[in-house]
DNA sequence: TATATATTTAGACAAATATCTAAATATTAT
DNA sequence: ATAATATTTAGATATTTGTCTAAATATATA
């Protein structure tokens, strides 16, 4: 839960997730969407991966990132406890 | 959204919300539940208030804090966009 | 094999954050 | 009025975080 909330506590990372909602993207394609250096984006992707929010697959020289929403269920459940 | 995610990105603050789920509490009662100084708890409560997650009402020398879950709806909606 | 491309790692740095103690403010009770 | 209680504000400090540049690693291509 800590890693999850931490990962989502950043506008850039939340936007990355929204891009990945549309389709899988390489690290470079993601970086191109922001005015932030590639190493910084790489770091953001690492935090998202640590939280389980994305998975990465290497294809040749590219690394594809894809959304994994299953970990969000835990968070949904946590929030829902307050709404009942 | 930023303030909301920020407020929830802390174990102590999340626990405060869980205590407030049971019943309204004064600042002092909340502080008593943690091994953290009262000023620090006061600061946590301020962040929760900024996020709209709690409201406070002064009653005499006490300040009662109560949960406000309506702001969680926005967050729920944001998360749900990924689950559909 | 040498070069170009894609990505990550390493290390540095400024800004944000969680915490503390001391002091200030507000209210109640003697 | 004075003292006691509840809470917040102010200011300091160590840690965490987001960012950068430079370098390292891995893969593809000429």
């Amino acid at each position: 839960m800590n890693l999850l909330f931490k990962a989502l506590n950043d506008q850039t990372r939340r936007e990355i997730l929204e891009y990945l909602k549309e389709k899988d993207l390489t690290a470079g394609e993601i970086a191109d969407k922001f005015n932030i250096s590639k190493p910084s984006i790489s770091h953001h992707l690492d935090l998202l991966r640590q939280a389980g929010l994305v998975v990465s697959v290497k294809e040749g020289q590219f690394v594809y990132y894809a959304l994994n929403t299953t970990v969000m269920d835990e968070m949904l459940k946590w929030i829902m406890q307050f709404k009942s």
Side-chain angles (χ1 to χ4, degrees), chain A:
Chain A
M1 283 284 273
N2 250 316
L3 284 177
L4 200 49
F5 278 110
K6 175 173 161 179
L8 293 179
N9 185 30
D10 181 275
Q11 176 62 32
T12 300
R13 290 193 289 271
R14 292 196 297 271
E15 282 184 39
I16 290 174
L17 294 181
E18 294 185 359
Y19 282 123
L20 291 178
K21 188 182 63 156
E22 303 310 322
K23 69 178 207 284
D24 299 354
L25 295 169
T26 68
E29 287 171 332
I30 294 168
D32 287 344
K33 295 180 179 298
F34 298 90
N35 257 336
I36 298 176
S37 71
K38 279 174 213 290
S40 294
I41 293 294
S42 188
H43 177 238
H44 283 308
L45 289 169
D46 188 45
L47 291 179
L48 289 171
R49 207 178 35 67
Q50 280 179 46
L53 286 163
V54 302
V55 293
S56 61
V57 176
K58 185 154 198 173
E59 290 193 11
Q61 68 201 125
F62 300 93
V63 177
Y64 274 88
Y65 282 86
L67 198 59
N68 174 35
T69 67
T70 59
V71 289
M72 289 179 176
D73 294 347
E74 193 190 358
M75 198 171 181
L76 273 178
K77 228 174 77 182
W78 187 83
I79 298 174
M80 285 305 290
Q81 85 178 289
F82 296 104
K83 307 290 296 182
S84 37

